[in-house]
Amino acid sequence: MPDFAMDYEELYAMQRGMHALADQAGDGGGSGKFAEMGNRSASENTAIFGSSYLATQFGVFFRMSKSRTEKATEKLRQFGDTFEGVATALFQQDSEIAAGAAAASAKSEFNRWLDEKERHDNWVEATEEWNNYLESIGAADYFSEHPDAEMGKVCAEDDRPSFCDQWEQDLDDGTAPQQPSPEEPPIPDENPPSRMQFTNADGSTTEVTLSYNEDYQIQSETSTTTLPDGETFTQTTDYTYDDDGNVTSEEVTVTLPDDSETKTVTDYTYDENGEVITENATTTHDDEETTSVTEYEGERTPGLSYDDRDYTVTTENSDGTTTVEDITINEDGSGTRTVTETDEDGNETTTTYTREGPGNRWIEDD
């Protein structure tokens, strides 16, 4: 089977070309003397044609030509808009994939920096605590002269220093701090990574910028994918957190090449274990609005790599249509998904899906 691929750059070029042809058509009546005479009255053209009949027939021909050309102009614009619509849909789909991959890489880099910072901060804190302890038991001078010495080995010697008695007593009491490694871990950059750029296989680029709060939680994440011809797709996500570090609100704004925007705001609520129990999302685009509410039932089984709770997703669209999804998850991760769709006239259609286990696709029942 041959590969079938669409280049949205070419589609955008087709759209611009169609609109340019429409612009060249002007007012649909040509240009120069043809348009000048066509816009005159029959009586004004009689002197030119020498006959009122010819002048009248020319007027009829001009109006028919103008009407057909204007219709063709409108069709050209509509045809161009079709190319733009397909290009935008493809560009949005591919850009969302690229933005998601780039954002995941950016977050991975941020988490790596955060781990390095935490590891170094812990070492600094442990070293300070250890040095203070050595001072308190009279061992500071010894370890200053022997920086690589290990307390356990030093105090296992027959001619061990006198501070070993106090250390062993504190060790039994559980008050002796743990001796840190003498090797300082790598010092991370002062600030976390906030900007990364990736070049995609098709020559487009994706740039990710991150901003943080004082607790180093990501407050805003923006991914911008740019085609070689300058068309851009931008996705910005803003986060709000509670005192426990849980995301309570997530606002995603998608800006397409035509500057139109789609905004999705999702609010989260949690149980006492920090598990999400409701997700309330509202998506708006122009005059259209869609709300989707996800509600989880019961408690998640500890230790599982997947969420085994049953849940319901209710979606309402601005055109009056609704979709209700009831998902039941079994102990082994298999499950049943029942989707009930209601059209604007109240007619219902129900479809049932099953999956064999966690991570498997939902398959429509026969």
Side-chain angles (χ1 to χ4, degrees), residues 1-7 11 86 90 93-94:
M1 180 182 293
D3 290 337
F4 180 71
M6 288 190 179
D7 187 333
L11 293 174
V86 174
L90 290 172
Q93 174 181 295
D94 289 354

Side-chain angles (χ1 to χ4, degrees), residues 153-199:
K153 291 183 178 179
V154 170
C155 293
E157 299 292 338
D158 293 336
D159 57 343
R160 66 184 194 173
S162 60
F163 57 73
C164 287
D165 293 339
Q166 184 62 53
W167 174 74
E168 288 180 341
Q169 180 179 335
D170 294 339
L171 195 63
D172 292 339
D173 295 340
T175 58
Q178 183 176 358
Q179 181 178 2
S181 169
E183 296 294 328
E184 181 176 7
I187 302 175
D189 294 333
E190 182 179 357
N191 297 309
S194 59
R195 179 182 177 274
M196 277 149 278
Q197 189 175 69
F198 307 86
T199 300

